[in-house]
Amino acid sequence: MIVIKGFQLRAAQLLVVLFWLFGSSGSAVAQSLTPMRGELVSTTDSFALRLFAGNPYHHRMRVEFRVYDADFAPVRADVRPAIRMLGGGGKAGVLVIVPFEGARERRVRVCVESIPFPQQTTRVRTQICGKFLARRVG
């Protein structure tokens, strides 16, 4: 129990008060990936996605793009560039080329993961993923 100017607060109540006093400006910020979903048709043995990652923070961020199947198993794909540096408030595009590998349909998840800088004391990695369905015709 914590007492502040005659008010008794439990730890959880104190966190709520501190967040209210010093916390958010009313809107939440989060790393972004655009688009988050998509369906496309390809006439070749592979398909391409053009995605954009966003950094809502004021500091720069290093991110890596990874491609997984629907069950989050890694998928062989060509990601250009696979690692990017995003400035504060910036966005950057990436091109992802995924082979069908003989299938007529392919479901993939493309994820953008933040990579902590070596000199940082916090080692938190964040990840946001988009889901995409590609169909091969012809």
Side-chain angles (χ1 to χ4, degrees):
M1 183 96 38
I2 300 167
V3 178
I4 301 174
K5 290 190 179 184
F7 293 100
Q8 295 181 356
L9 299 174
R10 294 192 180 113
Q13 291 171 321
L14 179 63
L15 288 174
V16 170
V17 170
L18 289 174
F19 181 76
W20 179 73
L21 288 174
F22 304 106
S24 137
S25 62
S27 63
V29 293
Q31 180 179 321
S32 66
L33 180 67
T34 306
M36 289 291 294
R37 294 178 186 269
E39 290 188 26
L40 57 125
V41 176
S42 176
T43 58
T44 64
D45 292 335
S46 60
F47 60 96
L49 301 164
R50 181 77 164 157
L51 305 171
F52 295 88
N55 176 8
Y57 306 108
H58 297 294
H59 57 83
R60 65 189 175 121
M61 171 189 295
R62 192 171 72 179
V63 295
E64 182 174 0
F65 293 85
R66 296 182 184 209
V67 182
Y68 301 99
D69 68 9
D71 298 319
F72 283 99
V75 168
R76 182 178 61 87
D78 185 13
V79 182
R80 299 178 190 172
I83 297 177
R84 300 239 23 188
M85 189 68 74
L86 297 178
K91 284 191 172 191
V94 66
L95 179 64
V96 179
I97 301 170
V98 183
F100 278 103
E101 296 182 341
R104 302 291 274 164
E105 184 177 283
R106 188 102 193 244
R107 293 178 188 270
V108 296
R109 297 177 191 265
V110 179
C111 301
V112 59
E113 302 174 357
S114 67
I115 304 169
F117 292 109
Q119 67 274 17
Q120 287 180 329
T121 57
T122 58
R123 307 302 294 163
V124 177
R125 292 184 84 131
T126 59
Q127 179 186 63
I128 185 166
C129 301
K131 292 168 45 172
F132 303 93
L133 170 64
R135 291 186 180 91
R136 189 174 75 166
V137 294

